[in-house]
Amino acid sequence: MPRLFTGLEIPAEIGQTLSNLRGGLPGARWIDPENYHVTLRFIGDIDGLWANEIATMLFRVNRKPFEVKLQGLSSFGGRKPRAVVAAVEPSRPLIELQAELERMMQRMGLNPEGRKFTPHVTLARLHDASSQDVADYLSVRGYFPSRSFMADRFVLFSSRASTGGGPYVVEDSYDLCA
């Protein structure tokens, strides 16, 4: 049963820039740059028939390419930090694409996504990292010059059941060209 999600791929040159921020944080499990992405909609463990229906339905998305801007690092989890992420500016086209995908998945009978959409690229998953260690890391590495790229497609990713971080496989891609 594949575990599926939709997302935006991160261009290799931006992935390389982000990978240079790795290291210097105890308890961090760094994500490989080839697995960097912006999750649009987590779908979950789906049987093959549903996976095919979802893959086919996604071709109905009719959106224009748009700019994606990464700016600075932050963490998720507050006092118990669980991830270090590169923040993605929540532009209108990005929010609208994510909302359309959310509506499609709900129309297919999937439960609504439980978390508010906060666009980001996960750089590291944290295990037993103290909030002070994370704050220290962010104070040293948290700022980097904004990087932008044009999103001209989104993809349907699959992953094996794991604690996250890949490897991810592109199952299908959907051009943005309205």
Side-chain angles (χ1 to χ4, degrees):
M1 204 181 291
R3 175 168 288 176
L4 300 176
F5 63 96
T6 58
L8 300 175
E9 299 161 295
I10 302 299
E13 65 277 5
I14 294 178
Q16 184 59 48
T17 298
L18 294 174
S19 73
N20 291 335
L21 301 169
R22 296 160 49 126
L25 179 56
R29 186 170 54 80
W30 298 97
I31 306 298
D32 292 331
E34 62 270 16
N35 289 312
Y36 292 159
H37 65 277
V38 178
T39 299
L40 296 171
R41 175 51 155 93
F42 180 74
I43 297 168
D45 297 320
I46 302 292
D47 70 32
L49 182 61
W50 268 90
N52 288 336
E53 285 187 40
I54 288 169
T56 300
M57 178 177 262
L58 291 172
F59 280 107
R60 296 182 188 166
V61 172
N62 186 21
R63 300 250 167 212
K64 292 182 178 169
F66 59 92
E67 184 180 46
V68 177
K69 185 175 181 182
L70 284 73
Q71 51 187 21
L73 300 184
S74 63
S75 65
F76 286 166
R79 292 186 191 274
K80 277 198 63 113
R82 63 182 190 278
V84 170
V85 302
V88 174
E89 183 178 281
S91 67
R92 183 180 185 120
L94 175 60
I95 299 299
E96 288 176 351
L97 173 60
Q98 189 279 332
E100 181 174 356
L101 295 173
E102 177 65 33
R103 286 189 301 273
M104 285 179 130
M105 295 304 111
Q106 287 184 39
R107 279 197 301 271
M108 291 194 73
L110 285 122
N111 290 329
E113 177 63 53
R115 295 178 282 196
K116 179 183 183 293
F117 179 57
T118 305
H120 66 278
V121 178
T122 301
L123 303 181
R125 301 207 186 272
L126 305 177
H127 180 71
D128 291 335
S130 75
S131 56
Q132 185 61 54
D133 285 343
V134 173
D136 291 346
Y137 170 83
L138 292 175
S139 72
V140 172
R141 301 230 172 134
Y143 175 78
F144 63 91
S146 294
R147 298 293 309 262
S148 297
F149 67 94
M150 285 302 290
D152 57 6
R153 74 181 198 165
F154 71 95
V155 299
L156 180 63
F157 285 106
S158 67
S159 68
R160 58 181 169 72
S162 70
T163 56
Y168 303 123
V169 175
V170 174
E171 297 293 338
D172 219 331
S173 64
Y174 307 89
D175 291 337
L176 300 171
C177 58

